[in-house]
Amino acid sequence: MEKSLCMLAAVIFLGGFSDALINDPSTDSSLLNNSTTAGSVTVELQERSRPTPTTAQTTLSSTTSVRDKHLDTKNTSQESEEENNKKEEETEEDEKTELDCPPLGLESLRVDDSQIQASSYQRSGLGPHRGRLNIQSGIEDGDLYDGAWCAEYKDQHQWLQVDAIYHTLFTGVILQGRNSIWSWDWVHTYKVQLSNDSVNWETCMNGTEEAIFEGNQNPETPVLGRLPVPTVARFIRINPQTWYFNGTICLRAEIMGCRVDDPTDIYASERELGSKDDLDFRHHNYKEMRKLMKSVTEECPDITHVYTIGKSYMGFKLYVMVISDNPSKHELGEPEFRYVAGMHGNEVLGRELVLNLMQYLCREYKKGNQRVVRLVTETRIHLLPSMNPDGYEDAYVKGSELAGWADGRYSFEGIDLNHNFPDLNNIMWDAQETAADKSKVSNHYIPIPEYYTKEDAMVAPETRAVISWMQDIPFVLSANLHGGELVVTYPFDCTRDWAPVEDTPTADNAFFRWLATVYASTNLVMANPDRRICHSEDFQSHNNIINGGAWHTVPGSMNDFSYLHTNCFEVTVELSCDKFPHASELPIEWENNKESLLVYMEQIHRGIKGVIRDKLTKQGIADAVIKVEDHDHDIRSAADGDYWRLLNPGEYKVVVWAEGYFPSMRRCNVGMEPHPTICDFTMTKTPLQRLKEIRAKGGKIPQDLQLRLRALRLRKLRASTKAINRRRESQRLQQARKARSTGAQRA
């Protein structure tokens, strides 16, 4: 029997060090004197939410998506919600759970640069600190931020070494090639070596031979190599053996391992990171997400309401939870807030944070937490945890470590939803350039362009659903939760004249910067001045906020559309360097973002708000235009005449216009406190004689052509959506009949 480090760790792993030595007669007593022995230890394994491979040489294979199991083509529009839910649950295979170790944290940056060393490296930009799974390079090769560790020499003596600091049960290695648009480099095969002192090393064995692990066949696909025997050590080395014939030794890595508890360490519990909130910290697929949302509504039925805004291409419902003291309807004067997560399906942290937020608000409201009670009673909060459920299911199947940088990012049709909204920016800018009087060009409520409403337009069903949602509810403030960086971006996302990078501010630039700063300054990771940059851009030099166009241009973004087509202000929050954090990291991420999520919602109560009424009837006036002096962006009142205008502290001249009424003006003062200034307006209709004169001349009462066009385009968009859905459902039914017919013939 091999008297090696691997064998020793296997004994520890399978039953405890001392018990195994007593009960296993094949264990040689000389193991007690092995220099790598760590003494009596306890190994705590973390539970994973999905199965993982079990061989030493494992590659990422193509897998039938779980979403295919959700789709029941027998469902028709006549079936009830309960029947649909039952069918979805019956057709989904239950996920099995197994014990496995989480990542050490190369990707999430929990492993410090000082813990990573290498035998050699080509230059600082390709040093060992860059050998992190999914790290992204700068645009130019040769800078400080290239996309891998690359050895200076091309031989089998090169290695990348990680110091876990503590004794760790190593279970596997995940490898990628180099991220570069100029070079192709990856490792085909490698060995794994382990040590307790970084001087004496032993190669992991596969039986009587040194284990050879399969690496990569392309630069991006992560490949997991499971150690034949889980092994306890402090240091681990990746030793490349072969590599891409036309490249060099370059790799990005993650190490899987469980820290081994030392019973003599009295400070171990103080170092444990997590959350004191008892929330459901794990990754939730579609079925589990729905169960969690149902459990929250059952726990807090008086303040929660769940509804759907549409379906994804594959038929997953886009669920939204409302949390408010009167959740089922809009209340006069109460602002509407939304969090949207999962626009990119593989950026999953936002999804879990939104689900955590549902639980947190429910439970803290019941406890009487005054801050939460105030939020719930004064705000109507809408939470959409998954805008792109099709993409999420793709990423979920592969898992938090094996889902690559882009797996699941796009919709089922291959559409990037963050580029899929109408580009209203250039419509407005083009009109301003050709107009004789720029002040006459509309700066808000810009209608959807005609081409966008057609059935053959490349508009995802998820995007169509969100646009209709925006039209139906008078949202005031929103945040779009993404992942892969640590920064908050604010509109405009699209640049003028298609410049790749250019600061492109809105008329509300000062308030957008405030909104972004509120989130970034209260986020525990962003606010840490000593944190490491995620990939290649140092957003700390911008205080962790940046204008979207100054980062990179994004025509057709949801942020810009929300600002130009509705009254809602929206920013994008890049929540973490790791798009798909391991489940074990979710409690920490909740603590990093909890205060930010709460304080950002509270900003909806800054500025002015009020109700615009008819002087005689006292009825609210819908679609009245609210103009703020020196702010070239107007908003409109909601159906009941209430409005909300987000503003920084100061005194403002506010003018209200409505069709058939004389304009009304007031001066409104906004204070420093996060409470809105009430600024109501009463409006007087124009004289009846004037209307008679207009009619006598054969004219018509003036109408807001922009509103008419906006409503017409929305009707066309909804009509084309219905036609597409009917056609898609018909195709599904035909496929189901064909499948049943084929099955009957075979039987």
Side-chain angles (χ1 to χ4, degrees):
M1 179 175 289
E2 280 296 319
K3 301 178 182 65
S4 67
L5 193 62
C6 291
M7 180 59 199
L8 174 62
V11 175
I12 297 173
F13 179 64
L14 292 174
F17 181 75
S18 58
D19 290 344
L21 289 177
I22 294 171
N23 297 328
D24 186 355
S26 64
T27 304
D28 195 313
S29 61
S30 64
L31 285 173
L32 292 171
N33 299 320
N34 191 301
S35 62
T36 59
T37 300
S40 180
V41 295
T42 302
V43 178
E44 292 188 1
L45 299 184
Q46 307 226 2
E47 186 173 316
R48 289 173 58 90
S49 58
R50 64 190 65 82
T52 53
T54 57
T55 62
Q57 303 173 13
T58 307
T59 58
L60 187 62
S61 60
S62 59
T63 308
T64 303
S65 173
V66 170
R67 68 179 175 215
D68 296 333
K69 299 169 186 174
H70 287 294
L71 183 60
D72 186 351
T73 55
K74 296 180 182 179
N75 287 347
T76 64
S77 58
Q78 286 76 32
E79 291 179 316
S80 66
E81 175 75 15
E82 291 76 12
E83 290 172 336
N84 285 336
N85 291 346
K86 184 177 179 181
K87 287 178 181 291
E88 286 168 345
E89 291 177 7
E90 287 176 350
T91 55
E92 178 177 318
E93 293 183 359
D94 291 333
E95 294 285 342
K96 295 181 180 179
T97 60
E98 73 175 52
L99 297 176
D100 199 358
C101 289
L104 289 188
L106 275 73
E107 181 177 11
S108 65
L109 305 184
R110 284 187 294 115
V111 172
D112 189 75
D113 287 351
S114 63
Q115 294 175 244
I116 312 174
Q117 295 180 320
S119 53
S120 65
Y121 53 92
Q122 293 181 12
R123 54 177 179 269
S124 59
L126 294 170
H129 65 292
R130 302 298 292 177
R132 300 173 180 270
L133 192 71
N134 282 320
I135 204 163
Q136 304 294 293
S137 66
I139 297 298
E140 300 292 337
D141 278 352
D143 62 14
L144 294 176
Y145 306 110
D146 281 321
W149 161 67
C150 290
E152 182 179 6
Y153 308 106
K154 295 171 65 173
D155 60 50
Q156 294 182 339
H157 301 294
Q158 304 306 306
W159 45 260
L160 181 74
Q161 172 182 312
V162 178
D163 178 2
I165 303 297
Y166 307 99
H167 279 95
T168 301
L169 180 74
F170 293 112
T171 61
V173 172
I174 299 173
L175 239 59
Q176 269 178 322
R178 177 181 178 183
N179 175 257
S180 172
I181 60 175
W182 312 107
S183 305
W184 278 33
D185 300 290
W186 57 83
V187 170
H188 280 309
T189 61
Y190 62 98
K191 295 180 181 179
V192 173
Q193 300 168 336
L194 300 114
S195 173
N196 271 347
D197 56 12
S198 75
V199 176
N200 301 301
W201 292 87
E202 293 194 27
T203 301
C204 237
M205 307 296 289
N206 190 5
T208 59
E209 298 179 350
E210 293 184 340
I212 302 295
F213 297 85
E214 290 184 8
N216 304 101
Q217 299 299 318
N218 61 57
E220 290 298 329
T221 305
V223 176
L224 170 65
R226 297 291 297 270
L227 272 61
V229 181
T231 305
V232 172
R234 173 175 167 175
F235 299 89
I236 186 169
R237 274 183 180 177
I238 301 167
N239 173 214
Q241 297 298 295
T242 60
W243 43 91
Y244 178 53
F245 75 95
N246 202 27
T248 187
I249 299 174
C250 294
L251 61 85
R252 294 174 285 169
E254 182 61 88
I255 308 298
M256 310 300 290
C258 297
R259 178 178 166 180
V260 175
D261 289 337
D262 182 356
T264 64
D265 186 357
I266 61 175
Y267 300 105
S269 60
E270 297 180 9
R271 289 193 295 268
E272 291 181 0
L273 299 177
S275 174
K276 295 180 180 179
D277 296 321
D278 184 20
L279 306 178
D280 191 5
F281 293 119
R282 60 193 174 100
H283 291 293
H284 297 77
N285 63 7
Y286 179 75
K287 176 182 175 181
E288 294 301 323
M289 178 188 75
R290 192 171 60 199
K291 283 183 178 179
L292 185 147
M293 295 177 74
K294 182 180 179 183
S295 71
V296 173
T297 59
E298 291 173 347
E299 187 175 352
C300 294
D302 295 336
I303 63 167
T304 59
H305 170 65
V306 174
Y307 64 96
T308 63
I309 61 173
K311 292 183 179 181
S312 70
Y313 184 92
M314 292 303 297
F316 292 116
K317 293 174 183 174
L318 306 182
Y319 287 106
V320 177
M321 177 176 285
V322 184
I323 300 180
S324 184
D325 59 341
N326 192 358
S328 298
K329 66 177 183 179
H330 172 71
E331 292 184 291
L332 187 70
E334 185 173 82
E336 309 267 356
F337 178 92
R338 70 171 182 258
Y339 273 129
V340 177
M343 172 178 271
H344 295 144
N346 63 333
E347 296 170 14
V348 307
L349 179 56
R351 175 190 183 107
E352 299 308 323
L353 289 177
V354 168
L355 294 176
N356 292 154
L357 184 62
M358 294 175 187
Q359 295 176 289
Y360 179 81
L361 292 177
C362 165
R363 293 171 185 177
E364 293 301 307
Y365 180 85
K366 291 176 66 177
K367 291 178 183 177
N369 181 324
Q370 287 304 299
R371 184 184 191 186
V372 172
V373 170
R374 186 166 54 251
L375 261 175
V376 170
T377 55
E378 297 179 359
T379 318
R380 193 162 176 242
I381 303 165
H382 301 250
L383 305 175
L384 171 60
S386 184
M387 181 178 168
N388 180 7
D390 295 354
Y392 174 83
E393 295 300 317
D394 275 348
Y396 179 85
V397 168
K398 295 177 181 177
S400 61
E401 284 71 60
L402 297 182
W405 188 252
D407 291 329
R409 174 185 178 89
Y410 305 102
S411 73
F412 181 87
E413 301 168 281
I415 297 173
D416 187 332
L417 299 183
N418 203 33
H419 292 256
N420 197 225
F421 288 80
D423 176 10
L424 305 183
N425 305 58
N426 284 288
I427 292 175
M428 180 182 69
W429 293 331
D430 291 345
Q432 289 174 348
E433 289 181 3
T434 58
D437 184 357
K438 292 184 179 180
S439 65
K440 301 295 183 183
V441 176
S442 178
N443 59 28
H444 74 296
Y445 264 44
I446 299 173
I448 295 169
E450 176 70 23
Y451 75 86
Y452 196 86
T453 66
K454 299 183 182 300
E455 287 187 35
D456 60 353
M458 187 58 70
V459 184
E462 298 87 348
T463 309
R464 294 171 181 268
V466 169
I467 289 176
S468 292
W469 184 40
M470 290 179 175
Q471 295 266 5
D472 292 339
I473 298 173
F475 289 113
V476 179
L477 181 62
S478 173
N480 184 9
L481 305 182
H482 285 242
E485 261 296 352
L486 279 167
V487 68
V488 183
T489 73
Y490 53 90
F492 285 121
D493 292 329
C494 184
T495 60
R496 288 176 178 264
D497 302 319
W498 305 104
V501 175
E502 183 179 73
D503 187 72
T504 313
T506 67
D508 289 284
N509 190 59
F511 193 80
F512 272 118
R513 288 181 60 83
W514 166 258
L515 288 173
T517 299
V518 162
Y519 199 102
S521 64
T522 54
N523 181 280
L524 298 185
V525 180
M526 293 188 203
N528 181 3
D530 299 322
R531 76 170 177 89
R532 185 192 188 281
I533 66 171
C534 288
H535 300 286
S536 61
E537 298 185 69
D538 184 7
F539 291 113
Q540 286 180 295
S541 62
H542 304 282
N543 294 317
N544 302 302
I545 70 170
I546 193 170
N547 173 264
W551 184 14
H552 58 272
T553 186
V554 182
S557 77
M558 187 163 73
N559 287 6
D560 289 2
F561 177 81
S562 180
Y563 182 68
L564 293 175
H565 188 69
T566 76
N567 291 333
C568 187
F569 288 32
E570 182 173 287
V571 302
T572 290
V573 183
E574 299 282 349
L575 292 162
S576 64
C577 302
D578 186 352
K579 288 186 175 185
F580 199 147
H582 189 270
S584 63
E585 297 169 325
L586 294 179
I588 302 170
E589 293 292 358
W590 166 250
E591 289 300 318
N592 290 340
N593 287 276
K594 178 171 67 173
E595 176 62 22
S596 305
L597 292 167
L598 295 173
V599 74
Y600 184 81
M601 286 192 288
E602 291 170 339
Q603 304 315 301
I604 201 170
H605 298 289
R606 289 195 177 273
I608 61 175
K609 77 171 187 177
V611 182
I612 302 169
R613 292 186 171 92
D614 184 289
K615 185 175 182 180
L616 294 177
T617 67
K618 307 303 181 184
Q619 296 296 311
I621 301 173
D623 294 315
V625 179
I626 297 94
K627 295 177 176 288
V628 178
E629 187 178 37
D630 298 328
H631 286 65
D632 191 23
H633 179 79
D634 306 332
I635 64 165
R636 297 198 180 226
S637 59
D640 296 328
D642 44 353
Y643 79 93
W644 307 261
R645 184 49 163 103
L646 299 177
L647 292 165
N648 281 325
E651 184 176 327
Y652 300 92
K653 176 183 176 182
V654 183
V655 180
V656 175
W657 299 75
E659 186 178 319
Y661 292 86
F662 287 117
S664 180
M665 188 275 287
R666 284 191 62 181
R667 290 195 176 274
C668 306
N669 185 68
V670 178
M672 299 294 293
E673 302 79 12
H675 303 294
T677 298
I678 306 301
C679 229
D680 295 328
F681 290 84
T682 56
M683 303 192 72
T684 304
K685 287 184 179 178
T686 57
L688 183 61
Q689 181 62 34
R690 175 57 181 156
L691 297 179
K692 289 181 178 179
E693 291 175 357
I694 294 174
R695 290 195 182 98
K697 294 178 181 179
K700 295 182 179 180
I701 298 175
Q703 293 184 350
D704 192 327
L705 295 178
Q706 183 183 358
L707 276 180
R708 292 177 60 195
L709 182 60
R710 187 172 180 270
L712 176 63
R713 296 281 169 79
L714 178 62
R715 286 198 296 271
K716 287 185 176 181
L717 181 69
R718 286 175 170 169
S720 64
T721 300
K722 288 181 180 178
I724 291 170
N725 289 341
R726 283 195 298 268
R727 184 167 64 248
R728 190 173 295 149
E729 186 63 26
S730 176
Q731 292 172 351
R732 289 173 181 165
L733 291 172
Q734 289 176 5
Q735 291 173 358
R737 293 192 192 100
K738 184 177 180 181
R740 288 196 298 270
S741 176
T742 303
Q745 291 175 2
R746 289 177 179 175

